[in-house]
Amino acid sequence: MARPDKAAAVAELTEQFRNSSAAVLTEYRGLTVAQLKTLRRSLGENAQYAVVKNTLTKIAANEAGITTLDDLFNGPTAVAFVTGDPVESAKGLRDFAKDNPNLVIKGGVLEGKALSADEIKKLADLESREVLLSKLAGAFKAKQSQAASVFQALPSKLVRTVDALRAKQAEQGGAE
């Protein structure tokens, strides 16, 4: 039977996997405690970075229904559990890895779908959710403005046409 402390650790990790919209596995070999502290800050408020035991984390991931990460649990492993915007955390990991080559992004999972290390880097290249939403709102507003201009142009064009027709009739009436 499993020791109670290990069972509690598995239960806690399982809950973190279930409550996270994304999880990114990294290898942190060669990083100092100060560097890990800096990394945790760079991930943002909606991410938790935890050094984990491979066997317990693999069991927890499987209990949470995530079996696609099994091959990544080797060597010293840490997991970034993301509850907020995954793009922000992916950017934090990518930027930290550029400055500290000892951090290796192994892969991860986003809303139940497996991500390779390259896909996580592509995710980091995306703009944040807020920026994308504001661009979408701007596009909608622009389309509404264009539609309003078209609808406003129709009556004014009609008025100009009627005025031109009256002027032409007045010329023809005056010429007779």
Side-chain angles (χ1 to χ4, degrees):
M1 182 165 190
R3 291 189 354 215
D5 57 335
K6 288 185 179 182
V10 168
E12 182 181 339
L13 287 168
T14 302
E15 198 61 31
Q16 284 183 311
F17 274 113
R18 287 186 179 141
N19 292 335
S20 300
S21 59
V24 180
L25 275 67
T26 63
E27 182 175 323
Y28 62 93
R29 183 178 302 167
L31 294 177
T32 65
V33 173
Q35 289 172 321
L36 288 173
K37 187 176 181 181
T38 304
L39 173 59
R40 285 185 174 97
R41 276 190 300 236
S42 70
L43 292 178
E45 296 177 7
N46 297 321
Q48 182 183 5
Y49 189 74
V51 174
V52 295
K53 293 190 178 285
N54 288 333
T55 306
L56 299 180
T57 309
K58 186 175 181 179
I59 292 168
N62 289 332
E63 285 183 11
I66 301 169
T67 57
T68 56
L69 301 176
D70 287 354
D71 296 339
L72 302 178
F73 292 111
N74 50 31
T77 303
V79 182
F81 294 103
V82 183
T83 55
D85 184 11
V87 174
E88 178 186 356
S89 298
K91 284 181 183 186
L93 284 168
R94 179 200 59 196
D95 295 344
F96 187 85
K98 281 181 186 176
D99 296 335
N100 301 282
N102 287 335
L103 180 74
V104 178
I105 298 172
K106 295 180 178 183
V109 63
L110 175 64
E111 295 178 1
K113 295 185 175 100
L115 295 176
S116 68
D118 289 335
E119 290 172 325
I120 292 170
K121 290 174 184 168
K122 287 179 186 173
L123 180 66
D125 292 336
L126 291 176
E127 293 174 332
S128 72
R129 182 178 189 270
E130 290 78 18
V131 171
L132 292 175
L133 287 174
S134 65
K135 284 185 176 184
L136 182 64
F140 282 140
K141 184 177 179 185
K143 291 298 179 188
Q144 288 174 344
S145 296
Q146 288 173 348
S149 297
V150 168
F151 293 136
Q152 203 171 26
L154 290 175
S156 64
K157 187 174 182 181
L158 178 66
V159 169
R160 285 193 306 270
T161 304
V162 169
D163 283 343
L165 193 60
R166 274 191 201 143
K168 187 174 182 182
Q169 286 177 345
E171 277 180 27
Q172 289 176 351
E176 288 177 17

